Amino acid sequence: MPHRTFPALSLVIPVYNSVGTLPRLVERVGRLDVPGGLELILVNDGSSDGSGQACRLLADAAAFPLTAVDLSRNFGEHNAVMAGLRHARGKHVVIMDDDFQNPFGEAVRLWEHAVATGCDVVYSAYDEKRHSAWRNWGSRMTNSMADLLLDKPPGLYLSSFKCLSAFAVTRVLAYEGPFPYLDGLIFQVSQKVDTLRVAHEERAGGRSGYTLRKLIRLWLSVFLNFSIMPLRVATIMGLGIAGLGFTAALGVVIEALVSSTPSGWGSLMAGLLVFSGIQLVMLGLIGEYLGRI
């Protein structure tokens, strides 16, 4: 049985409608100097411009290991990355976009930093992001939500350009749900995380595939799939409403003793508040158990 070798670094790049820039992308990757070897995984995320066929042709002609993964439709960036990670064999994996805004030399720097520090994940950080204003706003919103909902170091910027160790990749791939959020999965498996300042350049061509609709779906994924914070909010609201109901019930009793009130109205309102609060508390507790499972 032949000995199987594993490259030092795998590059996973989701591809979406980038047929015009793919040859230059592969040529740039082929010029990288990575001691221990390099492989490239291109994941065509349901492109409509022939990018899938271009990836296959480039894989056949490449002078270095190149795997082309062709998804049956557009599943979104995080699903595409998960598909690429399943084909990555490297001891470390760098995830990056196909738009040339992340220089390929910076991918090597991320890998070198991960090897030197022993961190499971190294995120990129930018002095200046060259995205559109609304895209930068969306990124800030996503990071603000993650600060509240995820178990991550406060203020850490969750960039899509990052390096993962093989251990982190293996643990992330244990997730089999339909709505993966890569950063949420990362912080479930490791806190050995660092950042590295890197350059960020103008987009080489085309336009971003992110829309407001996709950003909202991403926020919902963070909010519902990778945090039990909404369940805890329900529990706290239930306790507050139940407490308000008990206070109102006490007020009804006192008022009935000292004055005449419409028969049944106060006790009905107090009862509704008490039992509504108890229902919310019980739903929150059930949610806590489900979240822990």
Side-chain angles (χ1 to χ4, degrees):
M1 183 175 179
H3 178 67
R4 185 181 181 188
T5 59
F6 295 92
L9 178 62
S10 300
L11 292 182
V12 172
I13 303 181
V15 173
Y16 185 70
N17 289 346
S18 302
V19 66
T21 57
L22 283 173
R24 182 155 58 102
L25 183 153
V26 172
E27 187 268 332
R28 291 275 188 90
V29 172
R31 291 194 312 213
L32 295 177
D33 181 19
V34 178
L38 167 79
E39 69 171 356
L40 173 62
I41 297 96
L42 296 176
V43 184
N44 173 43
D45 188 20
S47 300
S48 57
D49 66 346
S51 291
Q53 183 180 7
C55 288
R56 292 190 294 272
L57 293 173
L58 289 166
D60 291 338
F64 61 93
L66 196 164
T67 301
V69 181
D70 200 10
L71 302 185
S72 59
R73 68 173 180 84
N74 179 244
F75 286 94
E77 180 185 4
H78 289 262
N79 278 296
V81 168
M82 293 288 280
L85 292 177
R86 289 187 172 91
H87 290 79
R89 300 176 299 123
K91 298 174 184 176
H92 286 82
V93 179
V94 167
I95 301 164
M96 60 192 305
D97 295 333
D98 64 347
D99 53 13
F100 291 83
Q101 289 193 277
N102 304 129
F104 294 99
E106 301 289 59
V108 176
R109 288 186 60 230
L110 278 178
W111 166 68
E112 290 173 341
H113 189 77
V115 172
T117 59
C119 289
D120 287 319
V121 186
V122 177
Y123 282 92
S124 61
Y126 311 113
D127 290 320
E128 181 184 3
K129 287 186 65 180
R130 299 183 182 274
H131 286 312
S132 62
W134 84 268
R135 176 74 184 276
N136 287 333
W137 172 83
S139 296
R140 286 194 297 271
M141 285 290 296
T142 303
N143 275 272
S144 297
M145 287 182 61
D147 280 335
L148 292 173
L149 302 175
L150 299 182
D151 184 21
K152 79 176 186 72
L156 174 71
Y157 177 71
L158 300 180
S159 169
S160 61
F161 183 34
K162 50 186 166 275
C163 180
L164 281 68
S165 68
F167 163 78
V169 170
T170 300
R171 301 310 304 154
V172 162
L173 290 177
Y175 177 80
E176 297 180 350
F179 303 105
Y181 175 58
L182 191 59
D183 298 308
L185 293 170
I186 285 171
F187 291 107
Q188 288 180 356
V189 303
S190 180
Q191 286 287 325
K192 296 172 62 177
V193 178
D194 201 1
T195 60
L196 180 69
R197 290 278 171 184
V198 300
H200 196 247
E201 298 181 351
E202 295 287 349
R203 188 178 180 91
R207 61 181 182 179
S208 172
Y210 264 106
T211 61
L212 181 59
R213 178 170 172 263
K214 290 183 178 180
L215 281 173
I216 291 173
R217 287 176 60 187
L218 178 62
W219 297 337
L220 287 175
S221 182
V222 177
F223 192 69
L224 298 176
N225 296 355
F226 291 92
S227 174
I228 59 174
M229 182 70 73
L231 306 176
R232 288 178 178 162
V233 169
T235 305
I236 293 169
M237 286 178 61
L239 288 170
I241 293 172
L244 181 61
F246 282 115
T247 303
L250 180 61
V252 167
V253 172
I254 294 172
E255 189 173 5
L257 292 174
V258 300
S259 65
S260 60
T261 57
S263 178
W265 182 86
S267 57
L268 177 62
M269 292 299 102
L272 282 174
L273 285 171
V274 170
F275 288 109
S276 296
I278 291 173
Q279 286 177 328
L280 275 175
V281 171
M282 296 308 298
L283 285 173
L285 290 175
I286 293 170
E288 287 279 345
Y289 280 111
L290 290 174
R292 292 171 190 273
I293 290 172

